[in-house]
Amino acid sequence: MTGVPASAAGGSSSARRTGPRGTSGAAQEPVGRTNPGSAVERVAAERAATDRGTTDQGTTDRGTTGRGSAERGSAERGSAERGSAERGSAERGSTEGGAAGRGGKIAAAAVNQASVWNVANLLTMLRLLLVPAFVALMLGNGGYDPAWRSFAWAAFAIAMITDLFDGHLARTYNLVTDFGKIADPIADKAIMGAALICLSALGDLPWWVTAVILGRELGITVLRFVVIRYGVIPASRGGKLKTLTQGIAVGMYVLALTGPLATLRFWVMAAAVVLTVATGLDYVKQAIVLRRRGIAERRAALKETEA
C-alpha cells in the first residue's frame, strides 16, 4: 500500500481544496445534481414574471375595455345627441310646416272670401247698373220711339248675355263668392222684372203675363230659401230653356216690331209663359220631395241616437 505515488495523493487533496472556490473545472458539481436554492429562486422568478405578465395583460385589457367603453359611450351619447337634434329639427320643421300650411290655407280662404272684384262679380254688377239705364231708355221720349227702344234692347241684350257668362265663369274658375250668390239672382230678376213692368205699363204686354212670370220667379226664389236646410234644388234643363225663351220673347217685345215679327213674338211669349208655369210646378214638386226626404233622414238619425 506504500507504493502509491505521493503526487497522486497530493493532487487529489489539492482538487478538493480548490473545488469549492471554482478555480478548477474538476471542482464543479457533478451533472445531475440540483441546487435547491437556485431552483426555488427560478420558480419564484418565473411566478413573479407570470404575475407581472398577468397584471400587465389585465391592465392592458382593462385599459382597452375602458377605452372601448368610453368610446362606445361617447359614440352613443353623440348618436343620442344627433338623434335628439334631428328629432328636434324634424319636429320644428313639422310644426313650422304645419303652421305655414295652416297659415297658407287661412290666407287662401281669406283671399277667396275677399276677392269680390272678380270677373263674374263685375259682370253681375254691370247687369245691376244696366237696370236703371234700361228703364230710362225704355221710357225715353214717351216709350214709343223706335230709336230709344233699340237702345233699350241693346242694354237688355247685354244684361242677358252677361247673365249667361257670369255664372259659367264663377263655376269654372272657382270665383263663387257670397256677394255673387246674393247679387246674381237679384240682377236676373231685376232686369227681367223691369222689362216686363215697362212693357205692361206701355200696353205692349198684358199684366197677367207679367204677374205670372214675376210671381213664379219670386215664388221659386222664396221656396229655395225655405227648403235650403234640407238641400239645394238644382237648376233643371227646363229652367234654363225657360230663361232663354223669356229673354228672347221680352227682347222681341222691347223692339218696335210690326207685321209677321210682331205675330211671332206673341207665340214666343206664349211658349215662355207655358215653360214658366211648367218649370215652376216641377220646382214645387222637387221641393216637396226634398223636404220629405230630409225629414225622414232626420227622424232616422234621431232614432239611431236614442237607440
Side-chain angles (χ1 to χ4, degrees), residues 4-28:
V4 179
S7 62
S12 173
S13 175
S14 176
R16 284 192 299 271
R17 285 194 302 268
T18 60
R21 288 191 297 267
T23 58
S24 175
Q28 294 178 358

Side-chain angles (χ1 to χ4, degrees), residues 18-294:
T18 60
R21 288 191 297 267
T23 58
S24 175
Q28 294 178 358
E29 294 181 358
V31 179
R33 295 182 62 183
T34 304
N35 190 345
S38 299
V40 171
E41 290 175 356
R42 284 195 300 272
V43 170
E46 292 176 357
R47 186 175 300 169
T50 303
D51 293 340
R52 285 194 303 273
T54 304
T55 303
D56 294 341
Q57 184 177 358
T59 304
T60 304
D61 293 340
R62 284 194 300 274
T64 304
T65 302
R67 286 193 301 273
S69 300
E71 292 173 357
R72 285 196 300 274
S74 300
E76 290 175 356
R77 285 194 299 273
S79 300
E81 291 174 357
R82 287 194 299 273
S84 300
E86 292 175 357
R87 285 195 299 272
S89 300
E91 291 175 357
R92 286 193 299 272
S94 300
T95 304
E96 292 173 358
R102 289 192 296 272
K105 292 179 179 178
I106 293 172
V111 169
N112 288 335
Q113 288 289 55
S115 60
V116 177
W117 302 100
N118 58 59
V119 177
N121 287 343
L122 289 175
L123 292 177
T124 301
M125 287 185 276
L126 174 62
R127 196 159 67 256
L128 286 171
L129 293 174
L130 285 174
V131 174
F134 167 80
V135 173
L137 293 171
M138 187 70 181
L139 300 178
N141 199 16
Y144 297 100
D145 189 334
W148 286 88
R149 295 281 286 261
S150 298
F151 289 122
W153 177 86
F156 180 82
I158 293 173
M160 296 306 295
I161 292 171
T162 56
D163 180 31
L164 296 176
F165 281 103
D166 62 353
H168 176 72
L169 290 173
R171 290 186 296 270
T172 303
Y173 297 100
N174 195 23
L175 300 175
V176 179
T177 60
D178 294 337
F179 172 80
K181 292 177 182 178
I182 297 173
D184 183 69
I186 292 175
D188 297 341
K189 305 303 184 291
I191 190 66
M192 184 59 68
L196 290 170
I197 292 172
C198 288
L199 289 172
S200 295
L202 294 172
D204 293 338
L205 189 68
W207 278 104
W208 69 266
V209 175
T210 299
V212 168
I213 295 176
L214 292 183
R216 183 266 186 197
E217 298 298 332
L218 295 176
I220 296 303
T221 301
V222 173
L223 187 63
R224 287 177 184 271
F225 282 107
V226 170
V227 299
I228 195 171
R229 57 180 177 176
Y230 303 109
V232 178
I233 302 176
S236 63
R237 292 183 178 179
K240 295 179 180 179
L241 180 60
K242 177 267 307 177
T243 302
L244 179 61
T245 307
Q246 282 183 358
I248 295 173
V250 171
M252 293 178 72
Y253 269 88
V254 170
L255 288 172
L257 299 177
T258 58
L261 292 177
T263 303
L264 179 61
R265 71 182 182 182
F266 169 80
W267 292 107
V268 175
M269 181 59 73
V273 172
V274 171
L275 287 172
T276 298
V277 175
T279 55
L281 294 175
D282 181 64
Y283 279 127
V284 171
K285 179 182 177 181
Q286 291 186 45
I288 294 173
V289 173
L290 188 63
R291 181 177 179 275
R292 288 178 178 175
R293 185 184 302 150

